[in-house]
């Protein structure tokens, strides 16, 4: 029996050893196969990486002074970045929005409908703005031109004709609310307290002087009543931050005028200049459409200003404490309250026949709210809200300038209006340049720098687009034929002022800045070299190329065999 058991044990051991040997051979084959496959995968990946390098922005940096072709090539490199990525994102978002609108409104979102025309206008304005920006001109110029073309070119005229005038008016007022809130948030009380009398003169003197000269010229050349002449004056008197700020920041980045604080001086005064123009326009608008007697018309202007400031202060105080700091999603609720009260001021002031109070209320409210938010312990509340408002303006800007352009029907514009309007604009600009030059006397600026300030104080765009059509919309609402003509004249001249001063002003700033301003040397950060990037990626691939121990990848059967 014992011998039989021994023979059985020996036989079982032999079978087990054979199984272990077979497993080892099989695992060895599998290990060799997996190793070969891993090497092949690495080879394929390295090959793909080599082919991918020419189209990757990481390894094809922009040269120091790139041409327009080099900029375009760099913009199209992968992965999508910069404006290209931004526009791709917008296309996807609005394609989804269009599909949603088709589902909800059906015919209105199809060709020939209002929403379809609005969508085409938006995308066309975005593309037009991008094309114009390639020539280092303000994007808003391309947006405005696209709007004019969609209204006046026979082939695509249906786009402009199918826009609903009531919706267009509402969207322009929404854009105005966004601009006013953004301007109010940008007014820094500390900076305002530090402003010298020269900066205050630069903010007030050119604006008021141009307004008065334009009112006089418009009265005698265009036949506008004095109130409508002053309204035109306040529309055209505002300087455009959308043109001035990027141009001056570009000069500051290169060190021009930094030692004397010229970019800071002009940018700080620009916000005050716009507040004066918008407030004055609102008061004149209220007087022009007043339904009371002469006494009421005289009292209504100051009353609108007082009501606007009072509304802004009260609402600003409310937003100081609501939402509370310990509640969740503070920034979200601040945005809701800010725009909720802002839209209430803009549209509600029309309802109570005090239209001038709305814009001033929005400005005061945003200024009051930001004053408190800057003192918060976290220090991020005001910045977060400002960033969101900036994004909303980025969306509203193509709509605003596209709609303003589409409101100009060339077939209904009198040729004399264009000629006399340009004459009015030219006369007022001459006086603005002179007053701006005199406003900076008594400052440490030298003669060349004083000559630069008036030309930097010339471009017009944003405010003209925001309020240029409001008088025309109001005249249509009241169905006053004479005032509709006046409103159309103001709108036409506002568009002309943008087309003339925005590109010329931007070009003059970029040309005269390096010639008239002193340059302060700035440190330039050395860009990452292509060789360093390639070495970094090659090192990463070499690390992956190393094959780990077989025991770490594949389980050993040694214990089982034992």
């Amino acid at each position: 029996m014992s011998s039989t058991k021994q023979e059985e044990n020996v036989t079982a051991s032999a079978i087990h050893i054979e199984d272990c040997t077979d497993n080892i051979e099989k695992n060895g084959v599998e290990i060799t196969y997996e190793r070969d496959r891993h090497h092949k995968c690495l080879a394929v990946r390295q090959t793909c990486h080599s082919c991918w390098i020419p189209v990757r922005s990481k390894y094809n940096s922009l040269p120091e002074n790139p041409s327009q072709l080099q900029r375009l090539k760099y913009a199209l490199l992968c992965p999508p970045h910069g404006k290209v990525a931004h526009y791709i994102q917008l296309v996807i978002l609005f394609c989804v929005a269009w599909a949603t609108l088709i589902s909800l409104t059906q015919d209105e979102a199809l060709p020939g409908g209002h929403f379809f025309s609005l969508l085409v206008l938006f995308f066309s304005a975005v593309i037009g703005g991008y094309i114009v920006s390639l020539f280092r001109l303000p994007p808003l110029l391309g947006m405005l031109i696209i709007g004019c073309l969609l209204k006046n070119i026979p082939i695509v005229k249906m786009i402009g004709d199918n826009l609903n005038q009531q919706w267009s008016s509402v969207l322009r007022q929404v854009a105005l609310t966004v601009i006013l809130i953004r301007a109010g948030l940008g007014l820094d009380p500390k900076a305002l307290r530090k402003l010298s009398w020269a900066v205050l003169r630069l903010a007030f003197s050119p604006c008021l002087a141009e307004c008065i000269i334009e009112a006089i010229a418009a009265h005698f050349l265009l036949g506008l009543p004095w109130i409508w002449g002053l309204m035109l004056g306040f529309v055209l008197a505002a300087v455009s931050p959308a043109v001035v700020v990027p141009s001056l920041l570009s000069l500051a980045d290169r060190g021009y005028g930094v030692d004397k604080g010229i970019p800071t001086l002009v940018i700080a005064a620009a916000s005050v200049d716009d507040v004066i123009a918008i407030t004055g326009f609102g008061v004149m608008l209220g007087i022009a459409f007043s339904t009371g007697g002469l006494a009421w018309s005289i009292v209504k202007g100051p009353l609108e200003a007082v009501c606007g400031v009072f509304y802004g202060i009260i609402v600003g105080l409310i937003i100081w404490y609501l939402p509370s700091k310990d509640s969740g999603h503070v920034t979200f609720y601040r945005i809701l309250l800010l725009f909720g009260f802002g839209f209430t001021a803009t549209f509600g002031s029309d309802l109570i026949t005090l239209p001038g109070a709305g814009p001033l209320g929005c400005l005061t409210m945003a200024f009051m709210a930001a004053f408190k938010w800057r003192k918060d312990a976290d220090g991020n509340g005001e910045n977060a809200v400002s960033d969101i408002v900036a994004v909303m303006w980025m969306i509203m800007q193509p709509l605003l300038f596209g709609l303003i352009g589409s409101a100009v029907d060339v077939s209904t514009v009198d040729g004399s209006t264009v000629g006399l309007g340009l004459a009015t604009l030219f006369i007022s600009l001459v006086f603005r340049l002179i007053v701006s030059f005199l406003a900076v006397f008594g400052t440490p600026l030298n003669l060349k720098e004083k000559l630069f300030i008036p030309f930097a104080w010339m471009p017009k765009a944003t405010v003209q687009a925001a309020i240029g059509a409001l008088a025309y919309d109001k005249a249509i609402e009241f169905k006053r034929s004479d005032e509709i003509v006046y409103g159309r004249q103001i709108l036409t001249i506002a568009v002309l002022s943008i087309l003339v001063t925005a590109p010329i002003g931007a070009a003059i700033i970029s040309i005269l800045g390096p010639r008239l301003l002193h340059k302060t040397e700035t440190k330039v950060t050395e860009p990452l070299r292509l060789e360093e990037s390639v070495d970094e990626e090659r090192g990463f691939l070499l690390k992956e190329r190393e094959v780990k121990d077989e025991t770490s990848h594949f389980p050993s059967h040694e214990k089982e065999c034992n």
Side-chain angles (χ1 to χ4, degrees), residues 235-520:
V235 169
L236 299 182
V239 70
S240 173
V243 180
V244 173
V245 173
S247 300
L248 289 177
L249 289 180
S250 175
L251 292 176
D253 291 340
R254 290 178 285 164
Y256 290 106
V258 178
D259 55 337
K260 299 288 185 67
I262 292 176
T264 303
L265 182 150
V266 177
I267 292 172
S271 58
V272 182
D273 176 273
D274 291 343
V275 170
I276 297 170
I278 293 173
T279 303
F281 172 81
V283 173
M284 293 299 107
L285 184 68
I287 295 175
F289 291 96
S290 175
T291 56
L294 178 61
W296 171 245
S297 299
I298 296 175
V299 173
K300 188 178 182 181
L303 178 63
E304 288 179 335
V306 171
C307 290
V309 172
F310 180 75
Y311 175 87
I313 292 175
I314 297 299
V315 171
L317 291 174
I318 293 174
I319 302 179
W320 277 14
Y321 303 103
L322 295 176
S324 61
K325 295 181 181 180
D326 56 353
S327 63
H329 309 291
V330 174
T331 301
F332 174 73
Y333 288 112
R334 282 178 175 176
I335 285 291
L336 288 182
L337 289 174
L338 198 61
F339 279 97
F341 283 119
F343 291 138
T344 300
T346 302
F347 296 103
S349 60
D350 290 336
L351 186 63
I352 62 175
T353 65
L354 294 174
L360 189 56
C362 286
L363 278 169
T364 309
M365 171 196 64
F367 173 74
M368 288 290 295
F371 179 78
K372 172 67 174 175
W373 293 343
R374 288 189 179 97
K375 293 184 177 181
D376 287 348
D378 56 4
N380 296 322
E382 187 266 340
N383 290 332
V385 173
S386 298
D387 292 342
I388 295 175
V389 174
V391 171
M392 295 189 67
W393 170 239
M394 179 184 65
I395 297 173
M396 294 304 302
Q397 186 180 19
L399 281 176
L400 174 62
F401 287 99
L403 288 172
I404 288 295
S406 66
V408 178
D409 191 349
V410 176
S411 62
T412 62
V413 175
D414 188 2
S416 61
T417 300
V418 177
L420 295 176
L422 289 175
T424 301
L425 178 63
F426 177 76
I427 293 171
S428 63
L429 282 177
V430 171
F431 278 89
R432 182 183 183 89
L433 293 175
I434 295 173
V435 174
S436 300
F437 177 71
L438 296 176
V440 292
F441 269 84
T443 65
L445 303 181
N446 58 39
L447 181 60
K448 288 184 177 181
E449 292 166 341
K450 290 176 182 177
L451 287 173
F452 173 78
I453 295 294
F455 292 104
W457 211 231
M458 186 179 69
K460 308 175 186 299
T462 312
V463 176
Q464 287 71 27
I467 65 178
L470 293 185
Y472 179 59
D473 293 338
K474 187 65 67 176
I476 293 176
E477 179 183 343
F478 280 81
K479 298 179 180 179
R480 301 177 182 177
S481 57
D482 292 341
E483 293 178 344
I484 289 176
V485 175
Y486 299 152
R488 186 181 293 115
Q489 286 180 316
I490 290 178
L491 173 61
T492 302
I493 297 173
V495 172
L496 288 174
S497 70
I498 299 174
L499 293 175
V500 172
T501 63
I504 294 177
I508 288 177
I509 292 174
S510 62
I511 293 172
L512 294 183
R515 288 170 171 79
L516 299 179
L517 300 181
H518 178 262
K519 183 177 182 179
T520 304

